[in-house]
Amino acid sequence: MRLYIDKECKLCKNFGEKIKSYEPNLEILNYQNEEEFIKLEYKGKTYKKFEAIQKAINLGDERNILLNIIVSLPKLSQNIIYFLISKSRKIISYFFPS
């Protein structure tokens, strides 16, 4: 299992560490420049963006109501929300401890 994140971003790193606590065999890699989004490869399938986040969180038997609502939205809405969060992730990271 592989999780591709922005390893320079505190928000992404914290997310990766949390998921690794559920799945010790998780390999965390820096995502490719041409694909600047979270990607999860799990059991032969590839999940991207919010689907990757939802699948990764579900590995720890956690449920997130807001995330489930976002994933139930049309893809265009999901992509807009993901774009806004991903472009703001460096600013959001300032609210995380070092």
Side-chain angles (χ1 to χ4, degrees):
M1 173 173 24
R2 292 183 177 139
L3 179 65
Y4 295 86
I5 60 171
D6 177 0
K7 288 180 135 184
E8 302 299 314
C9 168
K10 280 191 232 175
L11 178 66
C12 299
K13 279 177 62 175
N14 286 343
F15 176 74
E17 289 170 10
K18 179 175 180 134
I19 303 309
K20 187 136 176 104
S21 72
Y22 307 148
E23 279 293 328
N25 295 327
L26 177 69
E27 184 179 358
I28 299 175
L29 303 165
N30 213 22
Y31 57 50
Q32 308 299 322
N33 287 334
E34 65 273 2
E35 292 186 332
E36 291 191 11
F37 50 79
I38 291 176
K39 183 168 72 170
L40 176 69
E41 294 174 351
Y42 179 70
K43 292 189 177 181
K45 292 187 178 180
T46 300
Y47 303 89
K48 297 176 181 178
K49 300 180 181 178
F50 279 120
E51 289 178 339
I53 295 168
Q54 181 187 41
K55 183 66 175 176
I57 288 174
N58 289 343
L59 292 173
D61 289 329
E62 289 192 27
R63 301 293 178 256
N64 185 298
I65 294 169
L66 180 59
L67 184 58
N68 289 337
I69 291 169
I70 292 170
V71 172
S72 70
L73 295 173
K75 286 286 185 197
L76 178 61
S77 299
Q78 288 182 40
N79 288 338
I80 291 169
I81 294 168
Y82 186 87
F83 174 80
L84 292 172
I85 293 171
S86 69
K87 292 300 174 194
S88 305
R89 71 184 183 279
K90 304 280 184 187
I91 295 168
I92 296 168
S93 291
Y94 287 119
F95 297 101
F96 285 88
S98 306

